[in-house]
Amino acid sequence: MSNIYFDNAATTQIDQSVIDIMSSVMNNNYGNPNSTHSFGRSSRTLIEKARKTIAKEFNVLPSEIFFTSCGTESDNLILVSAVKDLGVKRIVTSEIEHKAVLNVVKFLQLTESIKVEFVKVNQNGLIDYDDLNKVLNKTSLKTIVSLMHVNNEIGSVLDLVKTGGICKKHNALFHSDTVQSIGKYRFNLSELNIDFIVGSAHKFHGPKGIGFVYVNKKLKLNPQIIGGNQERGLRAGTESVHNICGMEWAFIQSYQSFDENKKYILDLKTYFIQKISGSIPLSKFNGSCDNNNDSTFSILNICLPVSKDKSVLLEFNLDLKGIACSRGSACQSGSSTGSHVLNSILSESDLKKPSLRFSFSKYNNKNEIDIVVEVLSDFVNSN
Ligand code: PLP
């Protein structure tokens, strides 16, 4: 049986060097970073160094970076605080956001009577910027725009410069869920008009249970987790020093090998596209995955020409052969369940077919792609 992991948008393999750093910190830096003795001070030093590392890469102040437990917590913190602390009365978002945004928006709509508007998305999963302009023009209600940078299912990419410019023109706050793009894109936040971005270490070969949020210094948020004064009062709870150091190291590694990784992973994706197109000519790439300008280099979402009856066996078949990918598929039974992203962009007939998301990392290789394409092609061509 193979052991092939193509589900890197769900989570990534943690780097061995990250584990080494974390284990050293756990062994040697166990002091509570809020204690004033030398044990505490050494932990504090590590945390502040990590904050500086992240801030430097984004060209912002260390005081604009706050550690959280994950991407979901970061998205929650921003959206809830924007409403409760910054007087936001309207959220403009899209139907293809991650649930970490969509469900918070729904919650705020219900509990705080916030007006919610969805900006149009085309069949490739790209935001309609004219519509964003139109929606923002409608009222002068205090607004936050929440649009993800890289879509986790189909890999479509938002133009942050353009979106930031539109938000600025309409005096709206701008939050971008950048969970899928940290470590894979460079951000000069001093030049971009973005108020909030978020990161989650397990998406870039770091540990699970640690993330961060960037909050523009002009904005003052209040904590959702209340208690001590950690993270300058924005998030109570003793900091997870080993996780923060692990995230810092994974972050450093990603940006140090940025060009090399990007080139390597894009080459894998291109190879996958060529192989699939050659072996299964009737397959389609969802969300313009085959166009590098609109789509990220690490995600490929494929709609396979397989009948509804047969498609139930597809995932089982791949799993049996030790291949991990993600079922980005929509309703199998004609119900409205399945991927909300694919439901928003695919035609009725394509929604009946199975779609699979393959997401790549530096740990994958072309041999794995050969194996997967052969398995898929055998499956599609079997009776
Ligand atoms: N936002 C996006 C775009 C994601 O892909 C994910 C995770 O899949 C999240 C938010 C949630 O991140 P976490 O798993 O760190 O809570």
Side-chain angles (χ1 to χ4, degrees), residues 321-357:
K321 295 200 156 67
I323 297 165
C325 63
S326 166
R327 183 69 183 259
S329 173
C331 41
Q332 290 308 299
S333 57
S335 75
S336 59
T337 54
S339 155
H340 66 285
V341 176
L342 296 186
N343 283 337
S344 296
I345 63 161
L346 292 190
S347 65
E348 284 286 315
S349 62
D350 283 346
L351 278 174
K352 291 194 180 111
K353 298 175 198 152
S355 286
L356 295 174
R357 177 190 69 183

Side-chain angles (χ1 to χ4, degrees), residues 31 58 86 163 178 189 216 242 300 309 321 350 361 363 381:
F58 296 149
L86 303 177
T163 310
T178 49
L189 293 174
N216 184 309
H242 60 288
L300 184 61
D309 299 341
K321 295 200 156 67
D350 283 346
S361 85
Y363 291 121
N381 296 324

Side-chain angles (χ1 to χ4, degrees), residues 118-275:
F118 293 98
V119 66
K120 281 188 200 151
V121 173
N122 72 13
Q123 81 272 22
N124 290 330
L126 298 171
I127 295 295
D128 179 333
Y129 299 101
D130 290 336
D131 192 52
L132 178 61
N133 249 313
K134 253 190 239 156
V135 171
L136 288 176
N137 222 356
K138 274 205 277 190
T139 83
S140 56
L141 282 179
K142 175 105 181 170
T143 299
I144 187 167
V145 170
S146 181
L147 293 172
M148 70 206 305
H149 183 209
V150 170
N151 186 281
N152 54 302
E153 289 195 36
I154 50 173
S156 51
V157 181
L158 180 78
D159 185 333
L160 292 176
V161 176
K162 204 168 185 170
T163 310
I166 296 172
C167 291
K168 189 170 181 182
K169 187 170 105 193
H170 295 279
N171 211 13
L173 294 168
F174 179 25
H175 160 233
S176 188
D177 178 339
T178 49
V179 164
Q180 290 292 341
S181 47
I182 300 294
K184 300 194 188 76
Y185 287 80
R186 289 205 185 276
F187 301 88
N188 183 347
L189 293 174
S190 297
E191 284 181 0
L192 285 167
N193 182 62
I194 302 188
D195 297 296
F196 312 98
I197 67 165
V198 303
S200 178
H202 73 98
K203 306 287 186 183
F204 52 93
H205 305 287
K208 293 174 181 59
I210 188 75
F212 66 85
V213 46
Y214 154 77
V215 180
N216 184 309
K217 59 182 174 302
K218 287 182 246 155
L219 303 165
K220 174 82 189 86
L221 305 185
N222 288 322
Q224 305 299 307
I225 298 177
I226 298 163
N229 200 37
Q230 289 92 351
E231 293 303 291
R232 293 181 313 290
L234 187 58
R235 185 185 188 271
T238 302
E239 298 89 337
S240 181
V241 190
H242 60 288
N243 269 331
I244 291 172
C245 293
M247 174 162 72
E248 180 198 16
W249 186 243
F251 185 91
I252 291 173
Q253 297 285 102
S254 306
Y255 283 106
Q256 255 172 12
S257 326
F258 181 80
D259 292 325
E260 189 189 318
N261 286 346
K262 185 172 169 181
K263 190 169 171 294
Y264 180 76
I265 298 169
L266 177 60
D267 189 42
L268 290 180
K269 178 174 165 178
T270 310
Y271 183 71
F272 206 128
I273 291 172
Q274 281 164 1
K275 292 281 294 188

